[in-house]
Amino acid sequence: MSTPPDPTDSGSAHRFGWLRAHPLRTVLAAIVLGAIVCGGIVLLTNSDSDTGAVAKTDIGADDRGPAKNAFNQSVAGDCLTWPSGNPGKPSKIGCGGEHLFEVAGSIDTSVYPGSQFGKKAPWPGTQKFVALRDQNCPAQVRSYLNGRFDPNGRFSVGMMYPSQAQWDDGERTLRCGVQYTNSAGELMPFLGRVADQDQALQWAPGTCIGINQQTRQPTDPVDCAEQHAFQVTGLVNLGTRFGAAGSGRPWPTVAQQNAYLTSTCPGITNTFLGGRAAFTKTTLNVQWSTVSQVSWLTGTRTAVCYIGLPDEKGFATLVGDAKGGLLINGKVPAPPPAEPPGRLNPTPVPNAPGLQPNPTELPAPVG
């Protein structure tokens, strides 16, 4: 009998552990990211204020009801967006275009027993909506995606709810859904339906990922001329080796993934940089992400190859494209001298304290 997956399984012994340990990437039951006050509508970030304005109807105050809009007319599968900085004007858009929220389901609080959500009930307040989100939305999202929500991936669970003004107009429905946020918790546009894509955190080859100077941990994509933690050199579809999503093939252990990526990422990196000699000059290490068991079962198959350098319990600060003009902690990298003939295994670069070993965290290969 197989052992059921542990939802807290970190999966990777590599440097992508930060992606799961980061507060923005907690397990599904704890996700509370990106609350949006809609139907009113304002975008709630770190404030509980409600500055949204809602047009009143001509119906009497005692009989008035919510005006129809893209929020309260949306159903599961709809994708919503709004002008930058103005979530008070949501619109439905084809999911193939850039959008900010994919609706997974609704919560009709008007059917709840008691007077808390009745016609004359006061606006519940942000904390109550957060509690409703935590109680209802994770299950709705899992059901909507047929169990294929990756809690370690790039998407998170969110909820749209009425502002106080819209609540006073009679709006009582909430919308659970899926969204994409950056490391600061800000909503970011994305393309396509979540169910149709690999949910792994991934970036195009050449992308540089910024660095938090206090924690020495990666943040979000930045221009390579800015300070960053690592640069992506390629993506690997683990499905080609271990079974595509839906194939029923068992999760490959981290050791199995490492063995495969050991023979894959170095070659991808050499090709990206224009040859092994060019890679040697960077003095950086090849590293990669692996896929946890729970992520594998949801269909995630993408591993990311990247180059960086351990430093101060995190990453060294890189500036510039690794293909030319690279600085490491403000200094031009000094390539190691050529190894004596016949030496096949260069001396490993020691890991910074607290970092787990990566079997390929070696200095650049030498010719």
Side-chain angles (χ1 to χ4, degrees):
M1 179 180 296
S2 61
T3 302
D6 178 3
T8 63
D9 176 18
S10 64
S12 173
H14 300 286
R15 223 52 81 231
F16 262 35
W18 71 272
L19 294 171
R20 285 178 289 278
H22 195 285
L24 297 179
R25 302 296 172 198
T26 52
V27 294
L28 180 60
I31 288 177
V32 294
L33 293 180
I36 308 167
V37 180
C38 287
I41 305 165
V42 295
L43 175 63
L44 178 65
T45 52
N46 295 321
S47 171
D48 292 341
S49 64
D50 175 21
T51 58
V54 181
K56 303 297 183 181
T57 70
D58 294 330
I59 304 173
D62 292 338
D63 299 320
R64 70 188 179 193
K68 292 182 179 180
N69 56 53
F71 162 64
N72 61 27
Q73 296 296 297
S74 63
V75 297
D78 285 348
C79 292
L80 304 179
T81 190
W82 46 86
S84 177
N86 190 5
K89 295 184 178 180
S91 59
K92 179 181 175 180
I93 185 176
C95 294
E98 286 193 342
H99 54 280
L100 297 167
F101 195 82
E102 182 176 342
V103 179
S106 62
I107 304 170
D108 184 1
T109 62
S110 68
V111 302
Y112 279 39
S115 60
Q116 184 176 10
F117 301 105
K119 290 183 178 181
K120 296 183 179 181
W123 189 62
T126 301
Q127 293 306 311
K128 181 60 179 179
F129 286 127
V130 169
L132 287 170
R133 177 184 55 199
D134 296 345
Q135 293 165 9
N136 296 276
C137 290
Q140 283 206 12
V141 167
R142 286 196 299 267
S143 177
Y144 170 67
L145 295 175
N146 294 317
R148 292 191 60 250
F149 178 76
D150 184 354
N152 299 320
R154 64 185 185 275
F155 298 105
S156 60
V157 175
M159 188 176 77
M160 302 173 75
Y161 56 92
S163 67
Q164 184 168 357
Q166 187 72 2
W167 180 271
D168 291 342
D169 271 353
E171 184 63 74
R172 292 295 185 270
T173 58
L174 319 175
R175 295 293 187 274
C176 295
V178 194
Q179 60 200 17
Y180 175 52
T181 59
N182 63 17
S183 64
E186 301 166 334
L187 287 174
M188 305 295 291
F190 63 97
L191 299 171
R193 294 185 184 279
V194 173
D196 297 335
Q197 52 191 300
D198 188 301
Q199 297 173 42
L201 281 154
Q202 55 188 280
W203 306 273
T207 302
C208 291
I209 306 300
I211 187 170
N212 181 313
Q213 289 297 331
Q214 281 68 51
T215 64
R216 315 297 298 175
Q217 296 301 305
T219 56
D220 303 298
V222 298
D223 188 291
C224 289
E226 299 179 31
Q227 294 181 337
H228 55 276
F230 63 81
Q231 185 169 8
V232 177
T233 59
L235 303 177
V236 178
N237 179 3
L238 296 175
T240 60
R241 172 65 178 83
F242 299 107
S247 66
R249 294 279 298 278
W251 171 67
T253 65
V254 170
Q256 290 174 316
Q257 293 179 56
N258 284 341
Y260 177 59
L261 293 168
T262 296
S263 63
T264 307
C265 282
I268 288 175
T269 298
N270 288 340
T271 299
F272 172 79
L273 292 171
R276 191 173 70 172
F279 173 46
T280 300
K281 292 180 181 179
T282 70
T283 71
L284 300 176
N285 294 337
V286 179
Q287 300 175 53
W288 54 78
S289 64
T290 56
V291 176
S292 69
Q293 186 175 13
V294 66
S295 296
W296 181 267
L297 294 177
T298 63
T300 297
R301 293 294 185 272
T302 301
V304 180
C305 304
Y306 60 103
I307 46 177
L309 199 64
D311 184 47
E312 297 184 15
K313 297 184 179 180
F315 285 84
T317 299
L318 310 181
V319 174
D321 194 313
K323 292 182 177 180
L326 178 68
L327 297 178
I328 303 177
N329 289 336
K331 298 180 180 180
V332 176
E339 297 290 345
R343 183 171 184 180
L344 300 178
N345 297 311
T347 303
V349 174
N351 282 325
L355 294 183
Q356 298 182 26
N358 180 324
T360 63
E361 286 175 356
L362 305 176
V366 294

